[in-house]
Each structure stands twice: as C-alpha cells, then as structure tokens.
Amino acid sequence: MQYQSQKIALNFYTAAVLLFLVQVLVGIIAALQFMWPDFFILNFNTIRTLHINALVVWLLLGMMGATYYVIPEESETELWSVPLAQLQFWATVLAVSLVVVGYIIMGINPQANTQIFGTLLLNEGREYIEAPRWADILIVVSVLLFLLNCFMTVLKTKKFTAVQGVLLGGLTFLALMYLPGMFYTNSMVKDQFWWWWVVHLWVEGSWELIAAALLAFMLHKLLGTEVKVLAKWMYIEVGLVLFTGILGLGHHYYWIGTPGYWLWVGGIFSSLEPIPLLLMVWDAFRTTRETRGVVSNRVGLYLTVSHAIFNFVGAGLWGVVHTLPQVNKWTHGTQVTTAHGHLAFYGAYVLLIVAMMYVTIPSLRGVKEFNQSKGYQAFWWMTISMIFIVITITGAGMVQTYLERLFGLDYVAVKAGYNLWFWIFRAIFGVGFLVGVLILVVDVLTLGKKAAA
Amino acid sequence: MSNNAAKHLFIWGSVLCFVILIVLTVDTMGKLDQRAPEITAEVDEGKKVWHKYDCIGCHTIFGNGSYFAPDMTKVTVRKPTGYLKKFIMNPRAIKPDSAMPVLGLTDKEADNLMAFLDWTSKVDTNGWPPAPILASARMDKTAGAGQVLFYRYDCAACHEIGGMGGVAGPDLTHVGSKHPDMEWHIRHLRSPETVVPDSAMPSFDHLTDQELKEIAEYMITLK
Ligand code: HEM
Ligand code: HEM
Ligand SMILES: [Fe+2]
C-alpha cells in the first residue's frame, strides 16, 4: 500500500463479508422453508428479501471498498477526503441497519407497512428494490458522495487511466440506473418494465463494466502485464458487454404485456451476451500464460481467473440456455431462473469481490507473504457447494418445466411432491457453502495481521 | 486497433445502443394501453395492496418474482374470484396445510386485490403462460360424458384425480367411496355451502340437470 487513505477499503470489506455471512444464513432458512414454511418467525417473503438485499448491498460495499483502493493507486495520490469516505461508510451502515429493522417489523406485522407521502414506509414490495423510498434517497446520496470523492481524487492529479475511466463510468451508470426504480406507476406492466431497467442494466450492464475494469486492474497488479494491452482488451470487452447487454434487456420483455417485437430484439441481442464474457476468460488465461517469473500472490490470481471462468459459466452459459423466447416460454419464472441467478451472481460478482479482497488486503495490511491456504479452502468449500446447489436447482427447474409447464400438473403438487428431494439437497449443500463463508470471514478479518505484528 | 479507437468504439457504440433502447421504450409505452384493460381506481388500489403485503416475495407475476408460490398472472382465468378472495383472506381455513400464511388482509383490500389480479389476467402477454402441450394426454379416449364435463368445467383446476389436477380442493381419486350417493353430489355441486359448511368451492348451479347428473355419475365411479 502506498497511500494511507486506501485503508478505508478495509472498513468496506469488513462490513461486506459480515453481510455475506448474514445473506447465507438467511439463505439456509429460506431453503428450509421450502420444506417447512413455518420454520422461522419470519415468513419466506421476508427471509428472501433479506437474502437478496444483503447480497446486493454487500456486493456494492465490496465494489466501493475496491474502488477506494484502486482510485488512489491509479491517480497516484491520497483520496480527496478520508473523513467524507468515513462518513459515507457509516451513513451507509446506518441506513442499511434501519432498512433491515423495517423489514423485520413488516415481516412480523404486515399492517405496519403503511403508506406515507404516497409510498410504503417499510417495504416497497418490489423484488430486489424492496427498500422504501426514504432509503432509496439515502442510498443515492451515499453513492453520490462516494462518486464525488472519487472524481475529486482523479481531478487532483488528472491521471485519466483506462481502468479508472471504465470503473468510474460503470459506477456512474450504476447510480443512474437506480433511478428508474424510484417512482410509482399504476400499471403493473410499466412497473415491471422499469424494474427490469434497474435489475438487468445493473447486472448485465454497469456491474459488468466494473468487473471488466477490476479484472484488468487485478491482472496488472498480480502479473505486471502491460497496461496498454490490458486496456485495449478491456475496451473491447466492455464495448461488447453494452452492445449486447443494453438491447439484451429485451429478454425480459417477452411476456410482461409488451409488444411482440421484443421477442426478436431480446432473443438476438441477449444470445450474444456470452461473447464478451468468453473474451474475459481468454484475457485472463492469455495474460497469465504470457507472464514470466513467479507470482507471489497465487491465491489472488487463482480467484481472479476463477471469477472470469464462473462469470462466463453462470451468467453466459446458464443465461443463454433460457434466453431464446422459444425456450423461455416454458422455463420463464421456474427454478431454472433461480439456478442461473445463483451461479451468475456467484461467478460474476461474489468471486470478483473476493478476488479483489485477496489481491488488495495483503498490501493494505503491509505484508508481502501471507498464509494462502485458508483462501483456497474458502474458495473450494464455496465453489463446490455452489456447483451442487446449482445442479440441484437446475434439476428442480427441469422437473418443474416438464411437469408443470408441459404436462399441466399443479404448481403446488410439483413443489411439494416431485421436487422435495431437490429442496433437501439444496439445504445440505447450503451448509457446505456456509462453512466456506465462515472460513472466508475469518481469513479476511485476520489475513496478514500476524505477519505484520 | 489502437487503444483510442477501441475506446471511441466503446463509447459511441454504447451511446447508439442506448438511444435505440430509448426509442423502443417510447414506442412501447405508447402501445401498452391497447394491450391491457383500463386501469380503474380499484385496480390501482389493488396494486398498492399487492406491494404492501410483498406478495412478490413468494409469488411470481408475469413470471417475475419469487418461485415459492404459484404464478399470479392469469390466476382469475381458472379460478373464480369468489374462491380466490376467500382463500387469500384465510388460506388455512380452506387448505389446512397451505404454505401461504394469514396476512391479515381486510375485506376491502381483498376486493381490490381481486380487481388487480383480474386486470393482469386480461393483459396481452404474447401467449404466456402457454397451454401445457402434453396435457391432452390425460384425457383417455374412452372417457364418459361425466369425465368430459369434469374437464370442460375445469374442476381439475382445483381437484386431483389420479395425481393430475389442482390441489385447492380435496383429492377426488376415491371420492366415490367417501360419498357414494348421487343426490349428495348434485346438491353439493348446486350449492356447496349448504352441504359442507363454509365450503369455498364455487357453485355450479348454472349447469343443466342433465350435466349435473352426468358429473355425479362420474364421481361415484371414483372408488
Ligand atoms: C452478469 C451477470 C448476470 C447475473 C448476476 C444475472 C442474474 C439474474 C437473475 C438474478 C435473474 C432472475 C431475476 C428475477 O428475480 O426475476 C436473471 C434472469 C434472467 N437472466 Fe440473468 N444474470 C446475468 C447475466 C445473464 C446473461 C448474460 C444472460 C443471457 C445470455 C441472462 C439471461 C437471463 C434470462 C433469460 C433471465 C430470465 C429468466 C426467466 O425468464 O425467468 N442473464 N438473471
Ligand atoms: C447457503 C447457500 C444458499 C442457499 C441455501 C440459498 C437459498 C436461496 C433460496 C431458497 C432462494 C429463494 C429462491 C426462490 O424464490 O425459489 C434464494 C434466492 C436467491 N439467492 Fe440464494 N441461497 C444461497 C446462497 C446464495 C449466494 C451465495 C448467492 C449469490 C451468489 C445467492 C443469490 C440469490 C439470488 C440472486 C436469489 C434470487 C433468485 C432469483 O430470483 O432467481 N444465494 N436463495
Ligand atoms: Fe437480463
């Protein structure tokens, strides 16, 4: 670490891994509720809301932490304002805690979720963006302060690097794409239309830009690859991400009441979406192969390459199989979607942030050598468990598609009968995943501390 | 390609794609009203109730949401709103093992929800959800008149026979042993509530006497 202010990243990382732990704990509860709906004081909907909100928030915290590390290094100067970064961190933690308390209150007593000023007080009742309007505003303010801090840092030295440009471009796009989720419309069709702008243009647009920039950053830092080469491929990758991903949004407009031409737009553009993800895999392998000499942070490199591979498999392959309207007509809204959602988020973003942690924490704590074995253990526990969860749920999705959609059996009959074993196995593999997360949390909190002392 | 060329291709190509998206969005917004019925005050209120109770945290609608509970898009097509309203106000009174909790909906809220779900049921969704193409296999060729009526009036939306059908009402595979009396069935179909207290089954009073008789005959063969 060259700049003291980079240390703020550690705050974000700590909060991120703790929320990751919460996410996975409630994930296991959700899985058990498929067998015993009354298993917990909170109903499934509240548990699921906590699960997916914790996911999104900890990934965002991880991205912010990573960015606070990257920007000073790229700009070769201290962060514009450390107190502002600290304020922004604690404000975010406070807002998130308040929202969680609100969800729990609403889970216990749904009547508490009343209308104020035309919006719902505790839970907006829209998947992923359940946070109420007042919290949306706090989130936007927090992100704007964060962006301000980053841009002011860049302006201090005016070293406009490619990585910095794409990273901050992606983050700005991310902030903008939160806005379409922030107004009420009385049409459920329009509601879903704008909701997908947020969800799709995040994970298949702005977040992929951030991923591509961080990938280039990590490859450069780990392998010393020339920035010029990395930057060129990064531009090509993010270009293709947006050329396919922006209009690929159409793959969510097949069946929600929107005109039929979306079947063509969505089908054509979204089936091309795996191409840039494959390029990223090739990029990671090529730079690794071309590197001479030893890489000291092997686990960091391992995670970086794994991120590239699982981004392609989870988002690219598990996405493309159900993206054509001819297939999606039958699989839409089944467990096939859940399987894809898990592997895509895991490969594209969980592994990205975990890789960033392993690449940057050693230098943040000022060590060159550290015990890498826990990192590998965490990776393998999580990855093997996730692969099995995904296989299990893909199986459940295929059974559901066949029996319910093609054969006309009742939804409940399929869920409670034919798919029961899949739910049981998901819960068991979920515990394996939890083991991996526990190892990760301990390692992230302690890594390099002993060596430094 | 030089770095600068790659960068400009990325920026201007993306801007172009985004402009196309905005054009398509404007066009879509203009066409939506013709593809759905008018949004009345009840529908709007119903949508707010849908959000208030976070129904999407368990259900999908238009196929999007959570996969813990059945899709709501066309739910009023197969089941009458009278039944559905009773169900959502107190699921476990109708199905003791229901995985849907009692949410504490008021009568008014439930009515508005029904207006909302009736609205989504009438939206033109490009044919989704598709009719199950393998389902025709379930009608065997030797089906008698009563069995044909059973499927025509979609009793199967709520009842299973031999593992096929819905689960809102009891499994009828052996109902002939439980209720061997034809008259019981006819009375029950005409007015379920007078035979079974608080029954949530819709009345089939609008069927002809002949049709009711044929269905009842079919019922008592299910031993
Ligand atoms: C980059 C990371 C990606 C992530 C994190 C991701 C995540 C998700 C999630 C969570 C959903 C479910 C949304 C819901 O709750 O309704 C979803 C749906 C979907 N995704 Fe992805 N996705 C990614 C990339 C892709 C790609 C590249 C494709 C196609 C090539 C794709 C195709 C689809 C399709 C077709 C659906 C709709 C499923 C349905 O009809 O139910 N995804 N994605
Ligand atoms: C212990 C491991 C986990 C278990 C047991 C678990 C369980 C669940 C369950 C039961 C659901 C509800 C699915 C439904 O509505 O049918 C769910 C949703 C979801 N989980 Fe997990 N989860 C786990 C870990 C994760 C991880 C690590 C991620 C991120 C990579 C993740 C991301 C998601 C997402 C994005 C959804 C929404 C799915 C969708 O709409 O398609 N989960 N999870
Ligand atoms: Fe998408």
Side-chain angles (χ1 to χ4, degrees):
Chain A
M1 183 188 57
Q2 289 151 302
Y3 305 97
Q4 279 304 320
S5 53
Q6 286 176 301
K7 264 200 165 15
I8 189 78
L10 285 172
N11 287 12
F12 285 85
Y13 289 166
T14 305
V17 288
L18 292 177
L19 259 180
F20 187 16
L21 187 61
V22 172
Q23 182 218 336
V24 171
L25 283 172
V26 290
I28 293 175
I29 298 176
L32 292 172
Q33 287 180 324
F34 266 73
M35 295 161 284
W36 303 289
D38 297 328
F39 168 75
F40 198 69
I41 19 161
L42 297 168
N43 288 324
F44 177 83
N45 59 322
T46 307
I47 293 296
R48 190 186 197 274
T49 299
L50 290 170
H51 181 62
I52 58 180
N53 281 242
L55 167 72
V56 173
V57 171
W58 85 255
L59 290 176
L60 288 174
L61 286 171
M63 286 178 199
M64 287 181 183
T67 306
Y68 278 138
Y69 181 91
V70 172
I71 296 294
E73 203 149 298
E74 292 281 305
S75 285
E76 297 174 23
T77 181
E78 294 286 351
L79 214 54
W80 182 61
S81 166
V82 174
L84 180 64
Q86 258 154 356
L87 173 82
Q88 185 246 331
F89 172 74
W90 287 109
T92 310
V93 171
L94 182 73
V96 170
S97 313
L98 286 176
V99 172
V100 168
V101 171
Y103 289 161
I104 293 174
I105 294 174
M106 133 91 182
I108 292 169
N109 174 22
Q111 308 305 332
N113 193 22
T114 52
Q115 290 264 341
I116 49 152
F117 306 119
T119 72
L120 289 160
L121 177 63
L122 303 176
N123 183 327
E124 232 174 70
R126 297 168 77 204
E127 196 193 2
Y128 297 105
I129 49 175
E130 286 93 347
R133 195 61 39 83
W134 56 265
D136 289 346
I137 293 165
L138 288 179
I139 293 164
V140 170
V141 170
S142 165
V143 172
L144 288 180
L145 291 179
F146 162 77
L147 285 174
L148 174 76
N149 211 347
C150 294
F151 279 113
M152 293 309 283
T153 311
V154 175
L155 288 179
K156 263 166 76 180
T157 56
K158 300 208 171 60
K159 289 191 173 20
F160 303 109
T161 70
V163 164
Q164 215 165 41
V166 173
L167 182 60
L168 291 179
L171 287 161
T172 308
F173 187 27
L174 184 160
L176 286 176
M177 284 307 111
Y178 194 60
L179 305 180
M182 281 179 64
F183 61 89
Y184 178 80
T185 145
N186 63 3
S187 159
M188 195 60 192
V189 176
K190 289 182 189 161
D191 189 304
Q192 295 253 303
F193 187 93
W194 293 112
W195 177 81
W196 275 119
W197 270 55
V198 183
V199 177
H200 172 100
L201 293 179
W202 266 21
V203 297
E204 288 160 71
S206 61
W207 291 33
E208 285 286 1
L209 298 199
I210 296 164
L214 293 180
L215 177 67
F217 176 83
M218 290 191 285
L219 291 174
H220 169 67
K221 188 161 172 76
L222 292 162
L223 303 168
T225 312
E226 214 194 320
V227 177
K228 211 165 159 304
V229 184
L230 283 170
K232 181 164 123 193
W233 283 107
M234 177 183 69
Y235 281 130
I236 296 175
E237 286 154 10
V238 291
L240 289 174
V241 162
L242 292 188
F243 302 165
T244 59
I246 290 178
L247 291 167
L249 175 57
H251 66 180
H252 303 296
Y253 295 160
Y254 299 155
W255 326 117
I256 65 166
T258 35
Y261 57 70
W262 286 108
L263 273 69
W264 288 96
V265 178
I268 292 169
F269 283 91
S270 72
S271 37
L272 301 174
E273 282 184 49
I275 295 172
L277 309 185
L278 190 60
L279 266 184
M280 292 184 200
V281 179
W282 174 76
D283 209 7
F285 273 99
R286 177 180 46 83
T287 38
T288 310
R289 216 178 36 235
E290 283 171 0
T291 305
R292 314 248 168 269
V294 278
V295 176
S296 62
N297 189 347
R298 288 186 324 281
V299 68
L301 181 63
Y302 203 83
L303 287 160
T304 307
V305 176
S306 306
H307 148 72
I309 295 173
F310 280 101
N311 187 8
F312 171 66
V313 176
L317 290 184
W318 249 254
V320 85
V321 289
H322 61 152
T323 206
L324 286 177
Q326 291 80 354
V327 178
N328 193 262
K329 184 172 192 171
W330 302 101
T331 59
H332 179 48
T334 64
Q335 294 291 330
V336 171
T337 309
T338 310
H340 157 66
H342 277 86
L343 199 56
F345 260 112
Y346 180 71
Y349 304 118
V350 173
L351 284 178
L352 173 73
I353 300 301
V354 173
M356 265 312 278
M357 288 175 180
Y358 276 90
V359 171
T360 60
I361 289 180
S363 63
L364 281 168
R365 296 224 171 94
V367 292
K368 272 235 141 52
E369 298 294 324
F370 62 100
N371 184 346
Q372 309 197 354
S373 65
K374 279 222 190 64
Y376 286 109
Q377 280 170 28
F379 170 79
W380 281 114
W381 273 100
M382 292 195 297
T383 302
I384 293 180
S385 309
M386 183 48 82
I387 288 173
F388 276 105
I389 290 179
V390 169
I391 292 175
T392 310
I393 297 307
T394 304
M398 284 161 57
V399 169
Q400 185 186 2
T401 303
Y402 186 76
L403 290 179
E404 185 196 340
R405 293 289 163 75
L406 290 163
F407 214 75
L409 287 197
D410 189 83
Y411 170 91
V412 176
V414 177
K415 178 188 168 206
Y418 299 92
N419 271 341
L420 185 61
W421 281 100
F422 289 122
W423 312 141
I424 295 173
F425 280 117
R426 162 166 63 188
I428 294 171
F429 296 125
V431 176
F433 197 92
L434 178 66
V435 173
V437 178
L438 284 170
I439 299 172
L440 177 77
V441 173
V442 172
D443 204 29
V444 165
L445 297 184
T446 60
L447 187 156
K449 275 191 178 159
K450 257 198 221 104
Chain B
M1 200 181 342
S2 76
N3 272 25
N4 226 13
K7 178 164 125 191
H8 283 106
L9 185 67
F10 155 56
I11 293 174
W12 297 112
S14 306
V15 168
L16 176 69
C17 289
F18 210 84
V19 170
I20 299 176
L21 175 65
I22 289 175
V23 171
L24 291 177
T25 297
V26 171
D27 181 73
T28 298
M29 287 297 149
K31 295 201 164 103
L32 290 183
D33 288 344
Q34 298 137 42
R35 301 176 57 91
E38 196 201 332
I39 299 168
T40 62
E42 286 81 59
V43 173
D44 183 25
E45 283 307 311
K47 180 170 182 279
K48 288 182 180 144
V49 180
W50 172 266
H51 293 309
K52 174 181 170 190
Y53 290 95
D54 189 28
C55 309
I56 209 158
C58 289
H59 289 276
T60 48
I61 191 157
F62 296 126
N64 296 315
S66 311
Y67 315 103
F68 184 76
D71 187 70
M72 288 288 116
T73 315
K74 303 278 172 188
V75 69
T76 68
V77 174
R78 282 195 84 183
K79 289 176 188 154
T81 47
Y83 165 80
L84 293 171
K85 181 184 165 192
K86 247 188 202 159
F87 180 85
I88 60 173
M89 291 195 69
N90 193 351
R92 284 173 196 176
I94 292 171
K95 259 178 73 187
D97 63 341
S98 174
M100 173 153 162
V102 179
L103 296 167
L105 292 160
T106 65
D107 196 67
K108 183 98 190 74
E109 285 178 329
D111 280 334
N112 289 334
L113 266 174
M114 286 306 130
F116 169 68
L117 292 175
D118 213 34
W119 182 84
T120 60
S121 292
K122 294 193 178 101
V123 171
D124 177 355
T125 55
N126 296 326
W128 193 86
I133 44 173
L134 302 177
S136 52
R138 75 176 164 201
M139 275 289 285
D140 70 57
K141 300 283 176 289
T142 59
Q147 191 177 353
V148 172
L149 291 170
F150 186 86
Y151 290 106
R152 179 178 312 152
Y153 291 109
D154 208 9
C155 310
C158 297
H159 293 290
E160 261 183 3
I161 294 178
M164 296 288 287
V167 293
D171 187 331
L172 299 183
T173 313
H174 303 294
V175 74
S177 314
K178 188 174 166 195
H179 299 294
D181 175 13
M182 284 252 309
E183 280 311 309
W184 185 93
H185 284 286
I186 294 175
R187 264 188 294 129
H188 180 250
L189 285 166
R190 279 225 166 89
S191 168
E193 273 167 319
T194 56
V195 180
V196 179
D198 290 329
S199 170
M201 173 155 145
S203 152
F204 287 87
D205 210 18
H206 51 285
L207 272 60
T208 64
D209 288 351
Q210 179 63 21
E211 283 176 323
L212 291 175
K213 194 173 139 262
E214 279 167 4
I215 295 176
E217 270 168 359
Y218 174 50
M219 290 292 108
I220 57 174
T221 63
L222 299 169
K223 299 270 182 193

